[in-house]
Every structure is written in structure tokens, then in C-alpha cells.
Amino acid sequence: RVALLTYDGEQVEEQVLSTLPVPLVGAGVAVFDDHLYVLGGVRRLDATEAEKSLYRLDLNSPDAQWEKLPDLPGPGRVHPALTVFNEEVHVFGGMELVEKDDEAWARPVADVHGFRERPLDATTAVGWIQHQEMPVALGAALAFPTGHNHALIIGGIQQEMPFSLADLPPPTLSPRVYLYHGVTETWLDYATLPAGLAFAAHAGEDLLHSDVGEKKHYYIGGSTDGNSATGVSSVTLKQTVKSLSSLDYIVVVIYLLLMVAIGAYFARKQDSSEEFALGNRKVKWWAAAISMFATGASSISFMSIPALTFRTNLVWLLPVAFLILFYFLQAYVLFPVLRRLRLTSTYAYLEQRYHPSLRYLASLQCILLQMLGRMSVVLILPAMAISVFTGIDVTTSVVVMGLLTTVYTAIGGFEAVIWTDVTQGLLMFAGSILMAVFAINALEGGWGEFVATNQEFDRFEFAIVSLDYSMPIVFLFFANELVRNLGFVSDQPVVQRVYSTPLRDVRKLSAMFIFWSIAIAVGVNFMGLALFAYFHANPQELSPTMQNDQVVPLFIVQQLPAGLAGLIIACLFAASMSTLSSSMNSVATLICEDFYSKFFQTTDRSRLMLMKVGSLLIGLFGTGVAYYMATMNLPSLFETWNLFIAYIGGGFVGMFILGMFTKRTNTGGVIVGAIASIFVTIYIGEYTELHWVFYGLASILSCVVVGYLASLLLAPFHQKKDLSGLTIFDLKQDLND
């Protein structure tokens, strides 16, 4: 019999759920993501063999029935410690039944198994997986997650004993509290209880101090040293916090002042709107290339990509390797076609190729995306990560980064953005290499230990060759990168660098962009591997309540010396500010070119003033949104926003691809394709197993296919347009301006 008990403040209410397929005593139980999991136990009190079945019940459905999942490998067990974290059901120890002196004895075991219904990102393992054993064999312990990848194991039965409920509690119970990290598969002897404990239940948690991540976990009942326990006890987990030194703050301040100085220098040169928006189309090709990769490599990338590699392997480096293959596509097809059009707003292409309404819609979508999403998110996420381990106030970081970036972007224009991006891009690359070097040097075995540890845990795996589209497999990565490169023209902050470079230099621009993109990707992935080896050797340095994405700032405050820690914090600021400044300049340019200049009589002077004032107001608005987001449930908001981008953005990318690579598409067809892409992506997200990385690919491809077919059907209703210079079929190889 299974029931759900709820308390409304006055009385307890009971809801009877679906009955277990078999009666069980001594099973392990866990609840995760509104599902109830039950494992092991025995069907009768006089049983001589324990169960190994894993059952699951959906608590969201009142009519749900129990689902039987694959059996636990090896012998069955009674009183296993069961919990779920890192998208995996974990089974810690338990007691297997063995025959001894013609009766059943229960013997504690130390093995740890995990069950994954789906593979983790960038891995292929599914089903039951054996993990690193516990330090001691334990049965009837309490296990619960404390962070994304940590679990606490409290107490447990330590000795072999006759299996009879009447004989319990046993005389020897563990007073130890162990901390297990699921990524590095390491154990820590974390704390000692006042007395041995078994059969306790987790009773919730309190966040004591949100600024330092300190949490108190409660457990209730159980047995202590042979006696029944009453009441509620607790264990407190403290987040790692380390204040930055004065030298660190000096380094950060010097960096921030340098960015403002660059903006002030270029403020003297602003005498036209084209100068402010595109640097008069005379930007150095190598500087534009570094700026392109710095714009795309935000602080989220600087933290999340190493964290993904730390958690999985090098599969996340694979997409960048394909850039080498796409050099000729960029250098000999896309960049020359775009640069010859002499566009300022990339969405002017949609007006020339299709209809003015598509220009306005696409531009408005980009403006809203940058102002309400990208600008605020790249400010708030690194500020929160830095705050967790340094104690620096989140709002202070947001306001300082936002206001200073606003100042140098508004006064210095596009060239200030370019040259601050160059500084910030080089700083990001140097920072990733420095962190990797320090992590490897901190290992007792140095480089040899780094290689051996990552080999042991398959961290050098580079590609997944399979037909299972629920995983990030090679051919889907290739298709994703191909489509992304074909449609990069729809990203105003990035393509603006192409428009700003002299036509004769676009091939050199492409080569330098690919070089630096690969360099920074190798740097941050190498850093992720180095951090994995370091924390595998030093699990005591991991913070028990940390999220996976916090591994980079955690290492910064723990291991880097004074001054260098400030430099790497400046790297995180740099990654945010490079993306933020590009967004500000791009949005101001779009507002001026796609709306103000289209609907009002303007002069170049008025356009320049609008861009300057617009950059200032846009920066203040983005900073204000980030400030507000600091008080909200950011993770869910960020997830929702990313889904919105996948659902809405693919249609506009598809329009550009159809426009440049076909002659028969028309306005009605691409509108039908864009609308269809939204519904296709929603369907894929809800009803298929396609990996989330490829939602954008599905959205774009559905727009391309449906848009082209719809264009053929609607061709009789459209007048033919002059497409000279708008498609790749009119490509000229001469690159003279």
C-alpha cells in the first residue's frame, strides 16, 4: 500500500496511490522530479533472498501505475540507501542476504550503482553503471543530495547479523557522515555524529545564508546505538567562501579603468553615424576577427564550457573543429556576398530579398532578444557565480560592469567596442591557459597524473559515433555547425564585424576568426580537464552545496595567488563586457537604421546622436533588467528564455539561408516556413528524444524545407524580383572595394 500524506497547517490528509506490484519490507525509497522510486527489500519476513527490482511511479498522474525498470545487477539487497541526483538514481550499499548456519544473515555491502534512463550530455552510458565503492560497507544508511553532484551518506549498519526484524536495531551502527561527489567519484570522511545511526529519514533543508550558500539538512527518527531515536536532528553544510585580497581588487579596478580609457580615446574620433556603427568600414581585419570570437564567447561560455567538460568529456570541442572545414564557405562565399551589399543592419537584406515587413520583424526580434535576454543574462550569471565564493555583492558586480560598459560603448562607438573586445578576448584566452597550468602544477604527479586521471574516466573522448539522436552525435554536430554557419548573417552583433572590414580583407578575417575560435575552445576545454584532474585528487576542495557551473570560480578563489585571482575575475568581467558592449552597439544601430531612418527625415548628425544616446539608454536598461533579475528565480527564467530563442529564432535564420542559397523562395513561402518552424520545434521538444543542443537545428531546417516548398506553391501569387547580388549565384571572386 502506498499513500501520499500532505499537511495543510491543521490536519494531515491522505491520498492513496497505486499499490506496489509486490509487498515489500526494507526497500530503499527516493523522490525526484515528481517521481517515486523504490528498490530492493524482501517480500516476506522469512525471506532468504532480497529483491533487486527498481520500480517508479509518476506522482503527477493520479491514475499512474508502477513502472518496472531494469533490475539492479548482482545480488538483491535490503535497506539500500537510495537517492537521485545528477539525473541518475544512486544506490549506496545495503545488505545482501546470505545463508549461514541454516538461516538468513544480512551482510552490509560497499558497492555503489547508478541507473540512467538516458545518457548524460556527451556520454553514451545508460542503464546500470557501477561507481566507486564506499569507504566502508553500510546498510540502512541515509543518503540525500546536497548540490548538483554531491550526496551525503549518514550512518548505517556496519556488521553482519541474522536477518530478523525482531533483532533490530543492531549493536554496531556507524557514526560517520560521508560526502560523495558523483562527477569525480570521490569520497570524503566529512563529519562524526554524536552516536551511531541507522534507519533515519531525510526531513528537508533550510538555506541559512543565501549569500554564502550555507544549508542545514534535517533528518528524523531512526536508531542510535541500539535505541530508537526520536525527534529531529540536523547537519549543516557550509559553502566555501574566500575574500579577495587588496591586490586582487587593484587588478580588477585597473582592468575596468583601462576599458573606460579605450572608450574615451575613440570618443574623439566620432564624427559620423557610419563611424559610430561600423568604424567607417575600415576596421583592422585581425582586430575584427578577435572581436568576433570575443563577442560570441561570453562569460557563460567561460564558465559553462569548462564545467561541461569537467562533468563529461571533450565532445563539446568537436563543433569548433568543424570550423576548419567551413573556412572556404565563409571566406569565398558568405563573407564576400555580405560585404559587397554594404549593409549596416543585416536585416536590410530581408527587405531587399523579400519584403520590408520581414526586416522590421527580424530587427525587432533581435532588439528584444538582446535587451531583455542576452545583455542581462551575461551580466547576472557571472556576478552570481563570483558572489557565491568571494562574497562580492551580486548587485554591485552587475552595476559596475553594466555602467562602465555603457559609458565606454556610448562615448567610443564601434571602434571602442572592437578594441576593448580585443583586450578582453586575449585576456580570456590567457586566463583559461593560466588556470589549466596552475591546476596541473598543483597535482602531485603533474602532467602524468593529469593524463592518467582523464584517461581513467574517459575524459578524452572526442566524438560519439552513433545513430541515437538523443545524444550529441557527430553527424548532428556537423549539420548543426553547417546550418549555424550558413545562417550566421542573422546575428547582428557578429556579422557587424564583417560589414566593418574592408572587402579585400574578408578572407583574412575568416582565417583569423577560425584560428581564435579554435584557440579559445581548446583553452576552455583544456581548463575543464585540468580542473577535473585537480578536484579528483583534492575532493576536499569541492564545496558540498555547489552547482556544477561554479567549478571555475571555486578554483579561482581557492588556488590562485593574490593578483592572479583578480586577473581571472577580470577575465569573467571581460567576457561579460565584450558581449554586453557588442549588444549595446548593435541594438542602437538597429533602432537607428531599421526604424528611425526608415520612418523619419534624418541627417547624419541626428543619426549619430541617436546612436550615442541610444547606446546609453540601452546600457542602462540592460543593467536595470539584470539588477531586477538578481531577485528572481534565475535558473528557471534562463531556461525559459533559451527555449524561447530556440522556438522563435530559427525561422529568421532559415529566411537568410533560403534567401542567399535559393532563387525560388518568396515572401509568402518564408513566412509559412518560419511559422511552421515554431510548431515543429515545440513538437520535437515535447514529444521526441532529440538532444536539446539540436533544437535550433531542427527549427532552422524545418523553416528551410517548409519555406522552400511553400514558395513553390505560392510562386504564381508573387511577382519576380531582381535578385542581383543577393544570392551566391551572382558571386564574384574579385575582392577589390
Side-chain angles (χ1 to χ4, degrees), residues 704-728:
V704 169
V705 173
V706 175
Y708 187 77
L709 295 177
S711 294
L712 297 180
L713 294 175
L714 296 174
F717 305 99
H718 285 78
Q719 292 183 348
K720 289 189 176 181
K721 295 187 66 173
D722 181 11
L723 302 181
S724 300
L726 295 175
T727 70
I728 64 169

Side-chain angles (χ1 to χ4, degrees), residues 377-433:
V377 168
V378 299
L379 276 176
I380 188 66
L381 288 186
M384 294 183 71
I386 294 168
S387 173
V388 168
F389 299 114
T390 64
I392 298 176
D393 182 63
V394 173
T395 55
T396 300
S397 295
V398 166
V399 170
V400 169
M401 285 191 291
L403 292 184
L404 290 180
T405 307
T406 298
V407 169
Y408 76 68
T409 304
I411 65 175
F414 188 72
E415 284 200 88
V417 172
I418 288 290
W419 291 104
T420 52
D421 279 0
V422 169
T423 305
Q424 292 155 351
L426 296 177
L427 191 59
M428 278 190 284
F429 176 71
S432 63
I433 299 300

Side-chain angles (χ1 to χ4, degrees), residues 55-76:
Y55 298 101
R56 179 173 62 189
L57 180 67
D58 185 355
L59 298 178
N60 280 327
S61 175
D63 300 322
Q65 298 299 309
W66 285 93
E67 177 185 5
K68 189 177 185 301
L69 299 175
D71 288 350
L72 177 73

Side-chain angles (χ1 to χ4, degrees), residues 110-126:
D111 58 359
V112 178
H113 289 85
F115 176 77
R116 299 177 190 165
E117 193 168 19
R118 299 176 182 177
L120 290 177
D121 287 338
T123 65
T124 58
V126 293

Side-chain angles (χ1 to χ4, degrees), residues 529-696:
L529 295 180
L531 294 181
F532 176 81
Y534 172 80
F535 283 114
H536 177 77
N538 302 277
Q540 72 280 0
E541 302 293 345
L542 289 164
S543 191
T545 61
M546 65 181 288
Q547 299 179 2
N548 193 60
D549 283 350
Q550 294 171 341
V551 66
V552 171
L554 175 65
F555 182 82
I556 292 173
V557 300
Q558 283 189 343
Q559 289 301 314
L560 298 185
L564 186 57
L567 180 65
I568 304 301
I569 294 293
C571 287
L572 292 175
F573 284 177
S576 284
M577 294 169 74
S578 61
T579 303
L580 180 62
S581 62
S582 297
S583 294
M584 288 168 52
N585 184 269
S586 296
V587 170
T589 300
L590 293 178
I591 291 174
C592 181
E593 293 295 316
D594 292 335
F595 297 97
Y596 178 64
S597 296
K598 296 289 289 184
F599 296 107
F600 299 96
Q601 293 290 333
T602 67
T603 64
D604 189 70
R605 176 71 177 171
S606 66
R607 289 195 296 272
L608 176 60
M609 289 304 298
L610 176 65
M611 289 182 183
K612 284 180 173 288
V613 175
S615 295
L616 178 63
L617 296 178
I618 291 160
L620 294 175
F621 179 83
T623 303
V625 172
Y627 185 92
Y628 176 69
M629 287 172 63
T631 64
M632 299 177 63
N633 182 7
L634 182 68
S636 61
L637 179 65
F638 185 48
E639 179 181 353
T640 301
W641 187 258
N642 275 295
L643 289 175
F644 176 77
I645 295 171
Y647 293 155
I648 303 298
F652 292 107
V653 178
M655 288 181 186
F656 279 98
I657 293 175
L658 285 169
M660 295 187 67
F661 290 87
T662 72
K663 285 187 173 182
R664 305 185 68 177
T665 49
N666 50 55
T667 303
V670 295
I671 291 175
V672 172
I675 295 173
S677 71
I678 297 174
F679 290 100
V680 168
T681 309
I682 292 175
Y683 175 82
I684 287 174
E686 294 292 328
Y687 301 106
T688 74
E689 299 295 325
L690 182 69
H691 195 279
W692 61 268
V693 170
F694 306 116
Y695 283 7

